[in-house]
Amino acid sequence: MSILQVEDLTKIYGKGDAAVTALDGVSFSVDKGEFVAVVGASGSGKSTLMHLIGGVERPTGGRVTVDGKDIFTLNESRLAIFRRRNIGLIYQFYNLIPTLTAEENIMLPYLLDGRKPDPKKLDEILELLGLADRREHLPGQLSGGQQQRVSIGRALINDPAVILADEPTGNLDSHRSRSILELLKLSNRQFHQTLLVITHDEKIALQADRILTIGDGRILHDEAVRA
Amino acid sequence: MNSIPAVLAKAQLKQNRRRTLITMIGIVLSVSMLTAVCGFAVSGIEAMRSLVGDGYIEAYQSMFISMAAVLGAIIMAASVVVISNAFRISASERLRQFGILKSVGATRRQIMKTMLYEALYLSCIAIPLGIVVGLLIQWLGTSIGDMLLAPMNKLIVDGLSIHMRFVFSWASILIALALSLGTILLSAWLPARKAARIPAIEAIRLTQEIRVRKKRLKTSRLVRTLFGFEGTLAAKSIKRSRGSYRAMVIALAISIILFLVCGSMDSLLTMTVNQLYANIDANTLTTFSSNSSASEYYGQTLGSSDAEPITEALRAYPDTQIYGVGVEAGYTLGVSSADLTGALLKTLDEGQTTVGAVLVTVDRAHYEAICKAAGAAVGSNILINSAQGAISNKSTEFQPLRFSGQTLTLSKNDVSVEVPLDAQLAGAQVPQEVFYSADGNPIIVVVPDCAPRLYYWYGSSADLSGFLSYAETTMAAFFPVAEGSDAFVYSVLDVSSVTDMTRSLSKLVTIFLYGFVGMLALIGLTSVISAISTNVRLRAREFAALRSVGMTQGGLRRMLALESVMSALKALLYGLPIGSLAVYLTYRALTIKGQFQFIYPWATLAEVAAGVFLITLITTQYAAAKLRGGNIIEAIRSNEGI
């Protein structure tokens, strides 16, 4: 069953002579529970793809359907609400709120909804991420790996339809990278999470079920990985 | 209250304590000024009520209220500029944070709410504090006002007196509260709306604040030769990061304009005060008048022979000079008369057919002196050929008559009177006592004797209070009044008390004006300081880049200093022309046609320029200290990790 559908997605920055085509008619679909790696050289358009799927940017043309919902038919605030309930974003630079504790950062999508998450679920995630004894710490008091784990927790908390991760290990050493990747895979298996990871690291890509290779704004290859 | 916007707002306030404090000071100042203005209006209304009674208070009420409205509007406008700048800085610091929030699904409303909560939290502390400070200012102001009004009470008869008291009014406090809250929320709302509009992706990339306009900026060669390469950089960064400097320039320019206007109002007031009894060397004025029909002396004239004994009696008091002047008013001269000069004709209103004339008699000793000065024999009629009036909007002293030893034909109550002129006095020779007594009539003739119904004795006595009571008893002896009669026959006036009163009134107004403008300038200063301190932090990356290509710490400091100097110059560039225009408009609004010549307040101008550069110096020092305080490379790293 397809949970994410991308149809003829196009994004052009600028106008006239200065126009740059970042994405040029990209189409693919992802099934629920699939772990997809998106690879490509820098400037190939993979970050743009992720921002479009995440709904933080609007495309020039094409459609993105998440869990049966065409997200760009939503107005800005409905899209924001849809995002906090259905999409989890993980960035290279963690992007935590420096003034909130680790726990509050993880709960952020719920807090924005004016709700409290199920404490059991929160405990389960904190345990999984190895942050149980760090819940009251501020991001500034955590290491890079711990901060990235907090941002993974923030993406997991609301059981999103899709988790989008943009170079989640790009800022970490190889040891920490491996443990972050293990976590992502674990969540993929344990919670049956759909995972879309953007990376230029081949080792990470090979852990996925499927690799999408992007170049010049188009999909060059779409191949399944043999485990 | 524990929604996420509230939590984030609280955290932001705690995060940057110094800026929170400075913003709070700005808010406290503007709230206190709004409270004080409302309070002064109430106190002013009550003061007038005690003087004129309930029946007439309405006119004064609306006057005070509209005055308070104008001042309040100025305060609110200045506050919005300054406070919204503080919030704009707070928003730009958190732009990336807003981007993160948006990407995890915060709506625009939620982003705006975090800013509005920030404003609300600040208001919770700053507004009550501001109201207390405002009440203190009101109390202090009314106390000073009452002190300065005290000399006035000496002059007001009939048991009335004017007192300025501190009046506590819930209504005025509620109005101040509502206005303050409105000002603060508007100040937060303006930048919040802008911050919330920025797309999440832009905020995450943090391109908005440091985005450089694509157009190449031109900086003049003059800047380069004057200030060197650092100067060029400074000029460029002022042009690029307009926002934070704009608020500083606006705040400074508004202060400059208001100070200039204050300076000119102050000098206008001083001139008005000085005009009263300005050239008369007397500290008392004893007056006889038979113009009141209720008085038993109605219509009685005081010719030379009747006035001379009184003059002598007054002069008998030790160490006292007396100048006696009797005025017989009510004469006119047709404007068709060939005797009138062109200068006089220019001062006439449209449709005016006659000009006023008076016959004047002075005490014997001074009459002889006048005749001698004019080179005429005692017993001559001497023309005082000097008048003052507006010629093409300028107050000018001129000769009203063409003197040729002619005979003037004056008329009074349709009866013609021939007055042969024997000699004239003009310019500096004119005795001011005579000139002043003529009460603005352009044609004055000193005659040996006439029938004055008004007689003035200008007295100058070493023992002022002694002479005042002596003159009172002397006049009572000459003009006994039936008991219970309240008709005006004579009065003895302490001239210095009149000038004292007007001086203290003008001092009162001056203190209030300068206090008001000074507070406004202070509000502006808080914004300047917070702008600079944030600027240094936000630009850490740029500074580091400059350092890494070899700019010295001194060079950086110079660049910052030049940025301050250039914004000060810019403020002067806007403030001085607008201020000068405002000064001229104030002059036109406050003076009657031709009353005074327009005088540009150069002294205030110099003070203002000095003040602006002093502020610049302080802020530059402050920025330099900031630069020294933090390790720039560390600042960059801390920025990276967010």
Side-chain angles (χ1 to χ4, degrees):
Chain A
M1 183 197 124
S2 132
I3 193 138
L4 168 70
Q5 261 179 308
V6 176
E7 290 164 71
D8 200 22
L9 201 60
T10 303
K11 177 73 187 180
I12 300 169
Y13 291 105
K15 275 178 196 151
D17 290 343
V20 176
T21 307
L23 278 185
D24 188 4
V26 170
S27 301
F28 63 91
S29 76
V30 177
D31 287 341
K32 181 156 173 58
E34 224 180 338
F35 176 4
V36 179
V38 179
V39 297
S42 72
S44 59
K46 52 189 197 310
S47 284
T48 304
L49 177 66
M50 164 158 160
H51 288 136
L52 288 172
I53 296 173
V56 286
E57 214 170 0
R58 283 186 183 261
T60 315
R63 258 199 311 186
V64 172
T65 314
V66 177
D67 207 4
K69 190 98 201 163
D70 182 352
I71 62 171
F72 295 116
T73 59
L74 300 169
N75 70 19
E76 201 199 302
S77 28
R78 283 184 181 279
L79 181 54
I81 292 166
F82 182 81
R83 190 157 59 229
R84 70 188 175 214
R85 291 179 186 164
N86 299 290
I87 295 170
L89 284 170
I90 301 169
Y91 294 96
Q92 180 179 357
F93 293 111
Y94 330 133
N95 280 346
L96 302 177
I97 304 293
T99 49
L100 297 181
T101 64
E103 191 182 56
E104 285 170 325
N105 263 295
I106 290 175
M107 295 194 305
L108 200 53
Y110 270 90
L111 295 176
L112 285 169
D113 245 358
R115 294 182 296 153
K116 283 253 168 178
D118 180 5
K120 259 201 280 181
K121 166 101 184 170
L122 183 64
D123 288 341
E124 192 184 355
I125 285 175
L126 283 166
E127 204 60 53
L128 176 75
L129 298 172
L131 290 170
D133 54 343
R134 292 276 187 278
R135 32 173 91 206
E136 294 303 323
H137 286 54
L138 291 173
Q141 299 166 312
L142 298 172
S143 71
Q146 286 168 330
Q147 288 189 52
Q148 190 60 302
R149 275 183 272 161
V150 172
S151 83
I152 291 173
R154 186 175 65 191
L156 285 174
I157 189 78
N158 54 356
D159 281 324
V162 181
I163 289 183
L164 302 170
D166 187 359
E167 302 281 9
T169 61
N171 207 30
L172 299 172
D173 59 39
S174 60
H175 171 69
R176 291 206 168 103
S177 294
R178 214 172 312 131
S179 81
I180 292 293
L181 191 69
E182 287 307 316
L183 266 174
L184 288 174
K185 280 175 73 178
L186 190 65
S187 74
N188 174 241
R189 279 196 304 269
Q190 191 165 332
F191 303 117
H192 205 56
Q193 273 295 350
T194 312
L195 205 56
L196 200 69
V197 177
I198 287 173
T199 182
H200 61 258
D201 185 339
E202 217 167 302
K203 264 188 249 162
I204 292 173
L206 287 171
Q207 304 280 324
D209 304 328
R210 181 178 158 197
I211 300 177
L212 282 175
T213 312
I214 291 191
D216 284 338
R218 294 163 202 259
I219 294 183
L220 301 178
H221 307 285
D222 181 353
E223 50 202 342
V225 176
R226 265 162 256 245
Chain B
M1 276 310 265
N2 264 330
S3 70
I4 196 77
V7 172
L8 288 171
K10 214 184 277 176
Q12 170 70 3
L13 290 174
K14 278 189 194 150
Q15 178 84 6
N16 199 334
R17 277 162 204 276
R18 186 178 304 177
R19 218 213 26 255
T20 302
L21 190 71
I22 293 172
T23 312
M24 197 119 83
I25 291 172
I27 295 177
V28 167
L29 283 174
S30 70
V31 171
S32 67
M33 282 177 69
L34 282 172
T35 312
V37 165
C38 292
F40 282 137
V42 174
S43 287
I45 290 169
E46 289 311 310
M48 288 312 291
R49 196 196 295 279
S50 72
L51 189 67
V52 301
D54 283 330
Y56 298 93
I57 194 63
E58 254 175 50
Y60 291 101
Q61 213 160 359
S62 59
M63 183 189 86
F64 276 111
I65 288 172
S66 52
M67 247 162 59
V70 169
L71 293 182
I74 295 176
I75 297 168
M76 281 169 71
S79 304
V80 167
V81 169
V82 166
I83 299 172
S84 74
N85 185 45
F87 283 115
R88 207 183 55 75
I89 292 166
S90 165
S92 69
E93 275 181 355
R94 284 189 295 163
L95 219 51
R96 196 187 166 86
Q97 210 184 96
F98 291 157
I100 301 166
L101 283 170
K102 275 194 157 182
S103 74
V104 292
T107 57
R108 266 189 210 186
R109 271 165 68 94
Q110 283 174 316
I111 303 286
M112 282 182 64
K113 266 193 193 163
T114 61
M115 298 276 300
L116 291 180
Y117 270 117
E118 207 179 315
L120 273 180
Y121 284 133
L122 280 173
S123 303
C124 282
I125 303 172
I127 289 185
L129 208 63
I131 286 178
V132 171
V133 174
L135 290 174
L136 273 176
I137 294 174
Q138 188 197 346
W139 174 76
L140 197 73
T142 46
S143 310
I144 294 173
D146 196 42
M147 217 161 66
L148 290 172
L149 283 174
M152 202 160 148
N153 288 330
K154 274 198 252 166
L155 290 177
I156 301 173
V157 283
D158 295 346
L160 283 174
S161 63
I162 183 162
H163 285 293
M164 213 170 171
R165 286 199 185 87
F166 174 78
V167 181
F168 183 87
S169 147
W170 279 112
S172 104
I173 287 177
L174 280 179
I175 290 170
L177 183 90
L179 292 179
S180 308
L181 201 62
T183 307
I184 297 166
L185 288 182
L186 180 68
S187 305
W189 185 75
L190 290 174
R193 203 181 46 157
K194 214 177 142 201
R197 246 199 237 139
I198 293 168
I201 184 72
E202 300 246 4
I204 294 170
R205 286 197 195 127
L206 199 65
T207 52
Q208 194 79 7
E209 260 310 274
I210 53 169
R211 174 191 284 165
V212 165
R213 283 182 302 160
K214 292 193 182 90
K215 211 178 77 193
R216 217 176 136 228
L217 284 171
K218 279 186 215 146
T219 40
S220 72
R221 209 165 282 170
L222 181 73
V223 170
R224 179 155 205 160
T225 36
L226 272 180
F227 302 118
F229 177 63
E230 286 93 343
T232 315
L233 274 182
K236 278 186 199 288
S237 57
I238 286 179
K239 281 188 183 162
R240 285 201 163 121
S241 63
R242 278 186 177 190
S244 50
Y245 282 100
R246 195 194 290 141
M248 176 169 168
V249 169
I250 290 177
L252 281 175
I254 288 178
S255 307
I256 291 168
I257 294 167
L258 289 174
F259 263 112
L260 281 178
V261 171
C262 268
S264 86
M265 279 168 99
D266 186 24
S267 65
L268 279 176
L269 271 171
T270 317
M271 281 197 285
T272 315
V273 171
N274 287 345
Q275 212 187 31
L276 285 167
Y277 305 99
N279 303 314
I280 288 165
D281 188 21
N283 54 11
T284 67
L285 175 61
T286 308
T287 309
F288 164 82
S289 163
S290 59
N291 282 330
S292 162
S293 61
S295 121
E296 53 235 83
Y297 295 96
Y298 177 62
Q300 181 173 326
T301 61
L302 218 55
S304 295
S305 51
D306 300 320
E308 204 57 27
I310 305 173
T311 308
E312 289 306 325
L314 291 173
R315 206 173 265 160
Y317 197 76
D319 295 323
T320 302
Q321 275 91 49
I322 298 290
Y323 200 123
V325 185
V327 180
E328 186 183 352
Y331 289 99
T332 55
L333 182 63
V335 291
S336 53
S337 166
D339 298 320
L340 297 175
T341 58
L344 178 81
L345 294 174
K346 274 189 210 157
T347 65
L348 299 180
D349 291 329
E350 213 160 306
Q352 191 176 340
T353 54
T354 58
V355 291
V358 292
L359 296 184
V360 169
T361 162
V362 299
D363 70 83
R364 191 175 302 136
H366 285 106
Y367 176 60
E368 281 166 10
I370 287 175
C371 290
K372 201 176 162 203
V378 173
S380 306
N381 294 336
I382 316 284
L383 172 70
I384 302 297
N385 205 356
S386 173
Q388 197 150 26
I391 298 178
S392 44
N393 277 337
K394 258 187 183 169
S395 177
T396 318
E397 204 177 317
F398 60 94
Q399 296 200 355
L401 285 187
R402 228 172 261 123
F403 174 74
S404 57
Q406 73 271 48
T407 295
L408 276 185
T409 309
L410 302 176
S411 60
K412 184 178 187 178
N413 304 330
D414 293 328
V415 180
S416 291
V417 185
E418 304 272 301
V419 183
L421 302 178
D422 300 312
Q424 71 163 344
L425 278 184
Q429 285 181 300
V430 173
Q432 289 302 315
E433 286 83 352
V434 173
F435 183 76
Y436 182 76
S437 305
D439 198 24
N441 285 297
I443 294 161
I444 309 163
V445 184
V446 176
V447 295
D449 199 2
C450 60
R453 288 166 71 164
L454 257 175
Y455 209 104
Y456 302 106
W457 289 273
Y458 297 90
S460 173
S461 177
D463 173 16
L464 178 63
S465 58
F467 178 77
L468 286 173
S469 57
Y470 171 78
E472 194 78 38
T473 36
T474 308
M475 293 303 281
F478 276 100
F479 304 102
V481 186
E483 202 143 324
S485 161
D486 59 353
F488 184 85
V489 178
Y490 62 85
S491 74
V492 180
L493 185 71
D494 176 357
V495 170
S496 61
S497 77
V498 175
T499 45
D500 275 0
M501 181 203 84
T502 41
R503 285 225 171 87
S504 56
L505 264 182
S506 94
K507 206 183 285 166
L508 182 69
V509 175
T510 312
I511 287 174
F512 276 79
L513 278 178
Y514 275 114
F516 176 75
V517 177
M519 292 278 282
L520 271 185
L522 217 56
I523 294 180
L525 193 65
T526 62
S527 113
V528 172
I529 287 177
S530 73
I532 283 180
S533 67
T534 320
N535 223 359
V536 173
R537 255 164 46 101
L538 283 180
R539 286 167 60 193
R541 203 181 289 256
E542 178 198 335
F543 293 159
L546 287 170
R547 288 292 299 275
S548 69
V549 295
M551 191 184 247
T552 59
Q553 187 85 358
L556 269 185
R557 257 205 303 277
R558 240 163 75 79
M559 186 181 86
L560 273 179
L562 286 170
E563 280 176 22
S564 300
V565 169
M566 282 177 196
S567 13
L569 285 174
K570 213 169 174 182
L572 286 171
L573 197 70
Y574 292 132
L576 291 184
I578 299 175
S580 304
L581 187 71
V583 163
Y584 183 69
L585 292 176
T586 325
Y587 158 79
R588 288 296 295 271
L590 288 186
T591 54
I592 311 152
K593 184 182 159 200
Q595 190 184 5
F596 305 113
Q597 226 167 303
F598 176 65
I599 295 173
Y600 192 82
W602 290 108
T604 319
L605 182 81
E607 283 164 25
V608 162
V612 165
F613 279 100
L614 188 72
I615 288 174
T616 311
L617 194 75
I618 293 169
T619 51
T620 309
Q621 289 299 316
Y622 181 74
K626 274 254 148 191
L627 205 58
R628 225 173 294 135
N631 182 337
I632 287 165
I633 304 299
E634 240 166 56
I636 293 183
R637 243 184 237 136
S638 73
N639 237 6
E640 201 79 55
I642 298 171

